[in-house]
Amino acid sequence: MLEKAQGLPADQVFLDLEDAVAPLAKPSARKNIVAALNEGGWGSKTRVVRVNDLTTPWTYTDVIEIVEGAGANLDCIMLPKVQSASHVEWLDLTLTQLEKTLGLPIGGIGIEAQIENAAGLVNVDAIAAASPRVETIIFGPADFMASLNMKSLVVGALNPDYPGDPFHYILMRILMAARMHDKQAIDGPYLQIKDVDGFREVAKRSAALGFDGKWVLHPGQLDAANEVYSPAQQDYDHAELILDAYDYFTSEVGGKLGAVMLGDEMIDEASRKMALVIAAKGRAAGMTRTSSFTPPSA
Ligand code: GLV
Ligand code: MG
C-alpha cells in the first residue's frame, strides 16, 4: 500500500499512526513508517506522519521514534484532535529538541493541526498562531461529528432535517483562522470511498469557500479531488486574461487606467486580486492557457 501511494498524483501523502492503526499495532507501524520514509520514492510529495493525539499515551513515543528514525526524510507531523495552542507548543518544543539533538535544521519539520472537536474550533485562532511551524489547518469531520453528537453517519453530507449546510460554520471558522495566519486550509475525509459523486459534492462545498484541498482515502477519489480544487479551464483562462489586461491598461502605454472594461466586465485592483487567486490555483495545478490577451489597436 505504501508503495502504491508513491506513484499517485497527490500533492501530499500522510502515513497514519492514529485511527487507522490498532493500539497493539502501533509499535510495528512506527517501524514500517520510518522504513517507508527512508527508502524514498516519494518524489516531490509532502511527506507527513500523523501521530496520536495528546490525550493518548502514544504521542511522545510516536514523535521521538519517527523523527529520530526518519527526521531528515519528513516534511511535517500531523497532530490530530488539537484542542489548544499548548498542544502545538508542546510539539514545537519537542521537535526543536529533536532537531538540535539530531543536527537537523531547526524549524525544518512543519506541523499540520487537525481540528476535530468543539475545543479545537473555539481555539482555532490561537492554534493557528501557536508556532511558525504550523503550515496547515485540517478539518477532521468524522471525529468532529461524533464530538458534537451530530445525528448522521455520512461525513460531510447535507442532512434533509437541517435547512442549510451543517458544516458551513465549522468550515468557515477554520478558513478564517487559516487565512488570518496565512496557513493552508484542508478539508478532511469522505468515508464512502466508492461514492465518488458524493465525494465530489462535499468537496465542492469546501472548494467554493476557498479551501485548498481535501484528503483522499482511496485512489478512486483522486481525480475528483484534483478536478474540484483546480479552477475550471474557462475560469483559469479568464483569470490570466484579467491579469494581462490589467497590467496593460494600468501601464503607460495602456493609458494608466485604474478601472477599465474587459468585454462586459469592469476590472480594477480588486478584480486583479481575485484573478491572482484563480491563476495561482491553475498554475499550481499545471494548467495551460487556451487564450491570450490582445491589446486594443490604437
Ligand atoms: C479525520 O481524522 C476525521 O476525524 O474526519
Ligand atoms: Mg479524526
Side-chain angles (χ1 to χ4, degrees):
M1 195 150 93
L2 292 178
E3 257 170 41
K4 190 168 179 192
Q6 296 179 339
L8 297 172
D11 297 321
Q12 152 168 337
V13 66
F14 86 82
L15 309 174
D16 197 20
L17 285 171
E18 201 216 17
D19 287 354
V21 180
L24 291 178
K26 304 242 184 230
S28 57
R30 291 182 190 121
K31 290 187 175 43
N32 291 343
I33 286 178
V34 165
L37 289 170
N38 289 339
E39 278 155 23
W42 299 101
S44 59
K45 289 184 181 54
T46 304
R47 300 151 302 175
V48 182
V49 174
R50 179 166 74 164
V51 297
N52 288 279
D53 83 87
L54 277 162
T55 63
T56 70
W58 301 302
T59 326
Y60 167 80
T61 316
D62 288 346
V63 174
I64 306 289
E65 279 201 23
I66 296 298
V67 179
E68 278 187 355
N73 295 316
L74 173 71
D75 298 303
C76 289
I77 294 278
M78 186 188 300
L79 190 61
K81 302 179 180 71
V82 177
Q83 302 195 46
S84 71
S86 65
H87 287 193
V88 172
E89 285 158 6
W90 173 84
L91 183 54
D92 179 311
L93 289 170
T94 306
L95 288 172
T96 302
Q97 287 278 295
L98 281 159
E99 287 164 347
K100 283 184 175 162
T101 309
L102 299 167
L104 296 169
I106 309 296
I109 300 174
I111 295 177
E112 303 197 339
Q114 263 193 295
I115 301 298
E116 308 199 74
N117 57 31
L121 194 67
V122 168
N123 294 322
V124 67
D125 284 332
I127 289 167
S131 158
R133 290 183 194 265
V134 175
E135 295 181 8
T136 306
I137 311 291
I138 303 168
F139 176 39
D143 275 302
F144 209 107
M145 289 169 74
S147 83
L148 289 192
N149 296 349
M150 262 192 184
K151 215 176 134 207
S152 166
L153 282 171
V154 184
V155 163
L158 297 184
N159 183 333
D161 292 340
Y162 184 75
D165 176 356
F167 298 94
H168 177 78
Y169 170 74
I170 308 169
L171 289 169
M172 209 49 167
R173 189 70 198 81
I174 289 173
L175 189 62
M176 290 296 149
R179 293 294 173 256
M180 175 170 172
H181 299 287
D182 207 14
K183 314 294 181 190
Q184 296 185 92
I186 298 293
D187 194 3
Y190 185 73
L191 306 182
Q192 278 71 12
I193 55 175
K194 294 263 162 72
D195 180 5
V196 178
D197 288 341
F199 173 93
R200 192 178 277 110
E201 200 184 302
V202 173
K204 274 182 175 175
R205 287 200 286 273
S206 68
L209 293 180
F211 269 62
D212 300 296
K214 183 171 177 65
W215 283 13
V216 300
L217 299 178
H218 186 270
Q221 297 175 325
L222 256 171
D223 286 349
N226 284 331
E227 171 202 315
V228 169
Y229 291 90
S230 307
Q233 182 68 45
Q234 193 185 347
D235 292 342
Y236 173 63
D237 284 341
H238 191 54
E240 294 284 15
L241 199 69
I242 290 176
L243 293 178
D244 283 354
Y246 192 74
D247 257 8
Y248 173 79
F249 287 114
T250 51
S251 72
E252 192 79 41
V253 57
K256 294 185 276 184
L257 304 171
V260 285
M261 292 304 287
L262 179 66
D264 291 341
E265 177 187 20
M266 191 206 80
I267 60 167
D268 65 2
E269 176 57 23
S271 328
R272 188 186 71 88
K273 290 199 176 88
M274 288 194 295
L276 271 177
V277 170
I278 307 298
K281 284 183 195 273
R283 290 173 200 170
M287 293 174 78
T288 37
R289 296 177 68 164
T290 60
S291 64
S292 58
F293 172 68
T294 319
S297 43

